[in-house]
Amino acid sequence: MRSFVHQIAVAAIGAMVASALPIAAFALPSTAKGQVSVGQVMEMIAKADSSPMAKQTLVAYVSGVGEAASVIVDTIGGSHMVSCKTALRLDTGSMRAALETGASSRSNWSETPATPLIVADMVKRAGCRIKD
């Protein structure tokens, strides 16, 4: 069972990122709940080399997810509830791997929220844990 602090952090990150990005304007549709989907992020990754808009949107998304996750971990960590072995890091390679692992069936990509999968992977790679 996930802790309350973990649920709050993931919900806050998702809300911040979803409200700040105009991804749906050119990419695949968001999930039915309006969340950024795995399909959208994978489409942006695929188009980033040939489309300046896709690249700019991808950079904004990656920056938003990374920065929001870091701020939340730092804020919670400041109260000594969370500790990480290394800094949170995010790049397109690790993001693609996290999405492919977390949502292995392409048929579900349009309804699978991307942000929780990416944040969970960042936290895992950084060796973060919540102290009891």
Side-chain angles (χ1 to χ4, degrees):
M1 174 185 252
R2 291 184 173 155
S3 73
F4 180 71
V5 173
H6 181 262
Q7 291 173 355
I8 296 262
V10 171
I13 291 167
M16 290 172 61
V17 172
S19 66
L21 299 174
I23 292 172
F26 83 96
L28 293 170
S30 322
T31 68
K33 294 182 179 182
Q35 298 162 302
V36 176
S37 72
V38 170
Q40 286 176 299
V41 176
M42 295 301 266
E43 181 181 13
M44 285 187 292
I45 291 170
K47 291 181 176 180
D49 289 337
S50 62
S51 167
M53 177 129 177
K55 184 174 186 169
Q56 181 177 4
T57 305
L58 180 62
V59 168
Y61 177 73
V62 171
S63 298
V65 169
E67 188 171 341
S70 292
V71 167
I72 290 171
V73 167
D74 288 348
T75 301
I76 295 170
S79 65
H80 304 291
M81 294 176 65
V82 174
S83 66
C84 300
K85 292 180 182 177
T86 64
L88 296 175
R89 293 181 310 276
L90 185 59
D91 58 59
T92 28
S94 62
M95 187 168 56
R96 181 193 310 256
L99 295 175
E100 288 174 346
T101 301
S104 57
S105 175
R106 286 180 178 247
S107 63
N108 295 330
W109 280 9
S110 64
E111 281 303 317
T112 303
T115 305
L117 297 174
I118 295 166
V119 172
D121 178 70
M122 288 172 58
V123 168
K124 180 181 175 183
R125 286 185 298 109
C128 299
R129 65 180 187 86
I130 298 174
K131 298 176 182 178
D132 294 325

